[in-house]
Amino acid sequence: MEDEVVLLDFSLSMFGIRVRIALAEKGIKYEYREEDLVNTKSALLLQMNPVHKKIPVLIHNGKPICESLIIVEYIDEVWKDKAPLLPTDPYQRVQARFWADFVDNKVHEVAKKIWTGKVDELETEKKELIENLKQLEEFLGDKPYFGGDTFGFLDVAFIPFYKWFYAYETVGKLKLDYPKLIAWGKRCMQRESVSKFLSDEKEIYEFVLSYRKKIGVDQDTKSN
């Protein structure tokens, strides 16, 4: 019996893109259902993720799995025969999980404060984001991918944020100068599993501006 796989998602979601990349790497067929997060969340989303009421949610044979990194690990464990994402070495596995958590809490959460807040009041957050990305670049070093020679878990976790750099810079009025991260991002973009899901940076920027307008944040940033 073929697996029934459904993904509840939102096209611009960095977290949903993680799941889509993982499914593509594994060659898994699934039904994609776009959620309207701005107006009304579907009854199915509320039923399948009653705790957080957020996307993405992977529904595998009727059973929901929530939280993007947990979903990616689940995908890697269930469909283990193709394109392994987590390393087999225990230490390397925990390192990948550690830095993926770093992406969520030290990159995304800090950057979100910048693109949803009054930028001139967030100098501490801007410095923190710059420093945190520097640490990620140092961990990458001269490796092709974060895990070494092969595209893996941490690459999946971080690559959706690559196309947000433009919005971070433009809205935050800061400069992100990370040549190794940029080279890594371009390398990842050569993979079909990545390029077909990552959003256009200008589309992301316009989304950020519309969101800032919706929440009433004063800003004077303009498209270049």
Side-chain angles (χ1 to χ4, degrees), residues 59-133:
I59 307 171
H60 182 207
N61 295 332
K63 298 177 181 178
I65 304 95
C66 307
E67 298 296 310
S68 64
L69 293 177
I70 293 173
I71 296 172
V72 172
E73 285 207 47
Y74 178 85
I75 291 169
D76 199 36
E77 289 184 20
V78 172
W79 293 281
K80 61 180 66 176
D81 294 336
K82 182 180 178 183
L85 298 173
L86 275 162
T88 55
D89 178 78
Y91 180 74
Q92 292 179 359
R93 286 171 75 91
V94 297
Q95 283 292 296
R97 291 188 181 112
F98 171 85
W99 286 103
D101 181 76
F102 183 91
V103 169
D104 280 359
N105 292 295
K106 296 296 186 178
V107 176
H108 170 67
E109 289 298 333
V110 176
K112 187 177 180 181
K113 290 177 184 177
I114 295 170
W115 64 262
T116 62
K118 294 186 177 181
V119 176
D120 293 336
E121 299 176 4
L122 295 167
E123 291 304 315
T124 300
E125 285 78 5
K126 287 192 238 182
K127 291 177 182 177
E128 186 178 352
L129 178 62
I130 289 169
E131 178 59 30
N132 291 345
L133 286 171

Side-chain angles (χ1 to χ4, degrees), residues 31-46:
E31 178 186 347
Y32 178 88
R33 295 191 186 181
E34 179 83 359
E35 286 288 330
D36 182 355
L37 302 183
V38 177
N39 299 303
T40 306
K41 297 179 181 181
S42 73
L44 182 60
L45 174 60
L46 299 178

